[in-house]
Amino acid sequence: MGIAFDQSLILKVEHAKTNTEVLTTMCNHLCDKGIVKDTYCQAILDREASFPTGLNTHGINVAIPHADVCHVNTASLCVAVLDPAIDFHAMDEPEDAVAVSLVIMLVLTEPHGHLEMLQKIVGLIQNQEDMKKIITAEDKGAIEAVIRRYLLEA
């Protein structure tokens, strides 16, 4: 499965107030690039409301939103580094808030591709040193290198 990812799909989101604002920013970026259909943003927001994506790693927390493949034109990843961290509802305990610093949006075209990618994301999350490199990087190239190593080359 070929997945598009480059520095243009890495966003630094500063001063966002809500997870909806973060997700909308990411979706609009993807839509502007023609990667997703105009139905994608609402699909992401609806899915987030029903199935929250915040993951408490007991370190640098992550959210892993995705929508149904029917809303996607081109398989890709979109990554957002949040400063400050923004509350997302927890995947395992939806009433709990998780302060998320990294959002990895899975923009996939194969129905079963999400599970494989989630397994790779777990590998990244388990290395909090590399997670720290991502959220502290000044340069998008450094972020791209870490994401590629775990998610696209593994």
Side-chain angles (χ1 to χ4, degrees):
M1 149 172 67
I3 297 175
F5 182 66
D6 60 31
Q7 292 179 37
S8 74
L9 294 169
I10 299 169
L11 306 176
K12 292 202 172 194
V13 180
E14 298 176 335
H15 313 296
K17 302 281 186 256
T18 66
N19 62 25
T20 299
E21 186 179 342
V22 171
L23 295 174
T24 300
T25 297
M26 295 176 78
C27 291
N28 287 342
H29 183 70
L30 290 166
C31 200
D32 289 346
K33 293 177 78 57
I35 291 171
V36 297
K37 298 177 176 138
D38 58 5
T39 56
Y40 187 80
C41 194
Q42 192 59 54
I44 280 281
L45 296 175
D46 290 348
R47 191 171 196 296
E48 188 69 27
S50 300
F51 303 102
T53 61
L55 190 57
N56 186 346
T57 66
H58 303 289
I60 296 165
N61 299 322
V62 65
I64 313 165
H66 65 277
D68 193 274
V69 297
C70 70
H71 303 286
V72 177
N73 294 324
T74 306
S76 63
L77 296 175
C78 186
V79 173
V81 177
L82 311 182
D83 184 21
I86 298 293
D87 282 349
F88 278 69
H89 290 282
M91 196 180 291
D92 56 345
E93 295 287 337
E95 62 279 354
D96 293 348
V98 177
V100 167
S101 298
L102 178 66
V103 179
I104 302 172
M105 188 172 281
L106 306 181
V107 187
L108 304 179
T109 54
E110 295 180 19
H112 304 293
H114 295 98
L115 289 177
E116 181 184 333
M117 189 58 71
L118 287 171
Q119 290 171 330
K120 292 178 179 183
I121 290 171
V122 168
L124 169 60
I125 291 167
Q126 289 173 336
N127 188 328
Q128 285 289 306
E129 204 52 46
D130 280 341
M131 289 285 288
K132 186 172 184 177
K133 285 179 190 172
I134 292 170
I135 68 161
T136 60
E138 295 293 321
D139 169 65
K140 287 184 178 183
I143 297 170
E144 181 185 13
V146 175
I147 295 290
R148 275 193 181 283
R149 190 167 77 243
Y150 281 93
L151 305 187
L152 300 173
E153 296 169 0

